[in-house]
Amino acid sequence: MEEKICMITGANSGIGKEMAIQLAKRGHHVVMICRNEDRGKKALEEIKNRSGNSKIDLLIADLGNLRTIKPMVDQFLAKYPRLDVLINNAGVFKQKRTTSVDGFEMIFAVAHLGHFYLTILLLESLKKSAPARIINVSSDIHRFFTVHFEDLMFEKKYASQKAYGSAKFANVLFTKDLAKKLAGTGITVNAFHPGHVKTNMTTSNDSRFVRFFTALSGPLYTPVNKAAQTGVYLATSPEVSNISGEYFKKCAIAKSHKMTQDEEYQSKLWNISRDMLNKCGFEIKPDI
């Protein structure tokens, strides 16, 4: 298999690290995007050792701090000739409402807005590298919620499960809208549900919501190596080279919430996300 350059956000733990290991084992060049340099370096050495592949690099950016994203992208563009695969994986879960340094509700800021900005900044590199792939890590929990446009930042009433479900819903909306916008460019965009995985994010937030979702998902957690398989499949398999705008589960197309098909919803999220970035001083053009 031809070597691909694969960027993975949140690659120092959980599903992100496991996808990095599996892609590295296949001989691909992995670029880890991590918030914490020390934890990133430790994970980098582990990924190298477990995969037997030395082509693992680390770049630092905090998806919850928009001002750290472009400097990291500039570093990437200066060093790498192309980008074949972008995996938007990083996420957080907060039981109490927390805001990012830019003033956005933290779950939404990391899971959606930071990845929205990162993806737009990398589009030209992806287009030049086509065929290329964008993969967004969502969750089946999105089926039980929607994007709360009337209170997107949960300023009126915060509920951790609603905030998380809304962000995961946004991941699917973004996937479907971006896939349409990129039709004909050679870039595919898909999302997937990894399963309910016992990671640092879940174990450090063992709330009623986590227990509720565990019950919905089945009595057992999905082992992290299996949880990563669909992401790796979407990144590498020739079977999905021409499939775009879909939601996957266990390496197969699955149904997402019916409202994720709503083009008005998709456009509304795109426009609001763009306006948020513009208000922070990051100029995002209307068209991509």
Side-chain angles (χ1 to χ4, degrees), residues 204-254:
S204 62
N205 291 281
D206 193 14
S207 63
R208 284 182 295 174
F209 165 63
V210 172
R211 293 193 292 271
F212 166 72
F213 188 38
T214 302
L216 289 174
S217 306
L220 299 176
Y221 284 97
T222 304
V224 70
N225 63 320
K226 289 186 177 180
Q229 286 176 355
T230 301
V232 173
Y233 171 76
L234 290 172
T236 62
S237 175
E239 295 176 3
V240 293
S241 60
N242 295 312
I243 296 175
S244 191
E246 297 291 351
Y247 177 72
F248 280 77
K249 183 177 179 180
K250 295 181 179 179
C251 298
I253 295 173

Side-chain angles (χ1 to χ4, degrees), residues 12-46:
N12 63 288
S13 65
I15 303 164
K17 183 170 73 173
E18 185 62 31
M19 285 190 289
I21 292 168
Q22 292 188 26
L23 287 168
K25 282 183 176 179
R26 287 164 170 76
H28 299 301
H29 189 151
V30 175
V31 181
M32 305 167 60
I33 307 301
C34 301
R35 177 175 60 86
N36 183 283
E37 187 170 6
D38 289 339
R39 289 198 292 267
K41 286 180 177 178
K42 183 177 179 180
L44 182 147
E45 292 305 318
E46 181 183 348

Side-chain angles (χ1 to χ4, degrees), residues 229-281:
Q229 286 176 355
T230 301
V232 173
Y233 171 76
L234 290 172
T236 62
S237 175
E239 295 176 3
V240 293
S241 60
N242 295 312
I243 296 175
S244 191
E246 297 291 351
Y247 177 72
F248 280 77
K249 183 177 179 180
K250 295 181 179 179
C251 298
I253 295 173
K255 287 185 178 181
S256 59
H257 192 294
K258 64 179 182 180
M259 289 303 294
T260 63
Q261 311 291 340
D262 190 301
E263 293 188 2
E264 184 177 340
Y265 251 52
Q266 295 169 8
S267 296
K268 190 170 185 177
L269 177 67
W270 182 279
N271 292 335
I272 288 174
S273 302
R274 185 193 64 218
D275 290 346
M276 286 178 170
L277 291 172
N278 286 339
K279 287 178 182 178
C280 288

Side-chain angles (χ1 to χ4, degrees), residues 5-7 31 72-86 118-134 182 185-187 288:
I5 297 178
C6 306
M7 178 184 288
V31 181
M72 179 276 292
V73 170
D74 289 342
Q75 280 185 283
F76 175 85
L77 296 176
K79 183 175 180 180
Y80 301 91
R82 67 183 196 278
L83 176 60
D84 302 295
V85 179
L86 169 62
L118 173 65
T119 302
I120 288 175
L121 290 175
L122 289 168
L123 279 180
E124 288 307 311
S125 180
L126 287 159
K127 287 177 182 178
K128 291 175 183 177
S129 309
R133 306 181 186 193
I134 299 170
L182 294 178
T185 64
I187 304 173
I288 59 171

Side-chain angles (χ1 to χ4, degrees), residues 171-192:
N171 293 153
V172 184
L173 279 182
F174 175 51
T175 296
K176 292 184 176 296
D177 195 31
L178 186 60
K180 289 187 304 181
K181 285 177 165 59
L182 294 178
T185 64
I187 304 173
T188 61
V189 192
N190 292 292
F192 78 96

